[in-house]
């Protein structure tokens, strides 16, 4: 029986692309003296080029950005410090996140597993008013392991006191979320997005979070008996 739904955070509940763009808009304004006459679109495009969808360390990203834009490398340190201070302040949620989580919580136990810095991920969770939906929140830095290591999924399941067969995981990354969750014994739903090619190994696919409740009903009837 399906009793538990566990979510990824960034690019699954939080619109990481929109959040990052908003942050960079504000960062350019704060650090205008370092960026000079470089347009926002050029700054934004250069950061995105090196950011690797959030998977490259930000101190390295800013060093590469400054080299590319012909800026003093000392500006990279300033940008990185600004990132660590402000990035977590203004998370932007995808549409219907609160409504869907509120509805799901009436029928399922909810959990969350996120790769990232503990202070950043917890701040984003709190600033987006998400914490109260989840019985268990697991952040990779706190655990000392990160997705796709299946142990981080197992830690969450143990704290929720459920078996992998009772749970489904929802995430955007085909390898770190979908395949890793499957290897831990769970079913896995892929949130389709433009950062990755289509995959054929997910147990289900949604385009937006509002698709999830009906898909879970199908899972409960057909796959968890």
């Amino acid at each position: 029986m399906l009793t538990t739904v566990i979510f990824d955070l960034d690019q699954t509940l939080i619109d990481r692309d929109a959040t990052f763009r908003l942050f960079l808009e504000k960062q350019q304004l704060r650090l205008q003296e370092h960026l000079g006459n470089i347009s926002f679109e050029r700054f934004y495009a250069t950061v995105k080029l090196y950011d690797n969808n959030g998977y490259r360390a930000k101190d390295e990203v800013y060093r590469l950005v400054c080299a590319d834009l012909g800026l003093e490398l000392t500006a990279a340190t300033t940008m990185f410090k600004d990132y660590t201070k402000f990035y977590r302040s203004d998370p932007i949620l995808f549409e219907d996140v609160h409504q869907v989580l509120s509805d799901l919580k009436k029928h399922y136990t909810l959990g969350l597993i996120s790769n990232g810095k503990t202070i950043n991920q917890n701040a984003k969770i709190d600033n987006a008013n998400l914490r109260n939906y989840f019985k268990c929140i697991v952040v990779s830095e706190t655990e000392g392991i990160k997705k796709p290591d299946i142990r981080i999924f197992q830690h969450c399941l143990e704290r929720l006191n459920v078996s992998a067969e009772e749970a489904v995981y929802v995430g955007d990354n085909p390898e770190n979320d979908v395949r890793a969750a499957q290897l831990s014994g769970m079913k896995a739903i892929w949130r389709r997005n433009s950062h990755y090619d289509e995959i054929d190994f997910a147990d289900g696919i949604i385009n937006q979070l509002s698709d999830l409740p009906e898909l879970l009903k199908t899972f409960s009837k057909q796959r968890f008996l």
Side-chain angles (χ1 to χ4, degrees):
M1 180 179 179
L2 174 62
T3 65
T4 303
V5 185
I6 305 174
F7 291 88
D8 170 52
L9 181 63
D10 291 301
Q11 213 60 20
T12 299
L13 302 178
I14 290 177
D15 186 339
R16 198 257 173 189
D17 292 339
T19 298
F20 197 41
R21 183 181 177 95
L22 175 62
F23 162 74
L24 290 174
E25 288 174 353
K26 293 184 176 182
Q27 182 173 64
Q28 186 194 34
L29 294 174
R30 286 191 297 267
L31 304 182
Q32 190 67 51
E33 62 182 289
H34 296 281
L35 289 166
N37 294 324
I38 294 170
S39 70
F40 171 72
E41 291 303 329
R42 184 182 176 199
F43 174 56
Y44 175 65
T46 307
V47 175
K48 279 199 68 177
L49 175 67
Y50 295 112
D51 180 60
N52 191 28
N53 194 29
Y55 286 97
R56 176 174 275 152
K58 292 300 176 292
D59 54 347
E60 181 183 359
V61 170
Y62 284 119
R63 287 196 298 270
L64 292 168
V65 167
C66 287
D68 190 307
L69 295 178
L71 302 172
E72 295 289 336
L73 289 182
T74 53
T77 301
T78 302
M79 291 177 183
F80 178 64
K81 289 180 178 178
D82 182 85
Y83 172 86
T84 60
K85 183 176 181 180
F86 292 109
Y87 175 64
R88 54 187 179 264
S89 300
D90 299 300
I92 298 174
L93 294 174
F94 284 111
E95 187 177 1
D96 295 330
V97 167
H98 283 294
Q99 184 63 56
V100 171
L101 292 180
S102 180
D103 290 344
L104 290 180
K105 190 178 179 182
K106 298 172 185 176
H107 305 285
Y108 305 97
T109 298
L110 305 185
L112 187 145
I113 303 172
S114 179
N115 282 356
K117 298 289 186 181
T118 301
I119 189 172
N120 287 341
Q121 301 308 85
N122 277 316
K124 285 188 286 185
I125 290 165
D126 289 330
N127 289 332
N129 296 314
L130 294 176
R131 186 170 299 276
N132 289 337
Y133 295 114
F134 303 108
K135 185 176 179 181
C136 177
I137 294 173
V138 176
V139 179
S140 63
E141 185 181 51
T142 304
E143 300 301 306
I145 49 177
K146 64 182 180 179
K147 299 179 290 184
D149 191 321
I150 66 171
R151 291 176 297 169
I152 198 168
F153 298 92
Q154 293 166 343
H155 287 187
C156 187
L157 291 168
E158 288 168 4
R159 290 169 200 173
L160 291 170
N161 195 30
V162 297
S163 68
E165 291 75 19
E166 296 175 84
V168 64
Y169 190 78
V170 183
D172 70 293
N173 187 301
E175 297 298 326
N176 289 359
D177 294 321
V178 177
R179 198 182 296 279
Q182 290 172 329
L183 289 173
S184 76
M186 287 189 282
K187 299 293 185 184
I189 295 171
W190 181 48
R191 176 162 187 151
R192 181 184 276 120
N193 64 96
S194 61
H195 293 287
Y196 304 101
D197 293 333
E198 288 290 304
I199 61 175
D200 59 6
F201 53 85
D203 296 289
I205 297 175
I206 58 174
N207 292 311
Q208 55 268 331
L209 208 63
S210 58
D211 296 336
L212 185 59
E214 287 302 315
L215 178 59
L216 292 176
K217 290 178 184 178
T218 302
F219 273 32
S220 296
K221 292 177 182 178
Q222 298 182 5
R223 306 191 184 196
F224 288 84
L225 298 178

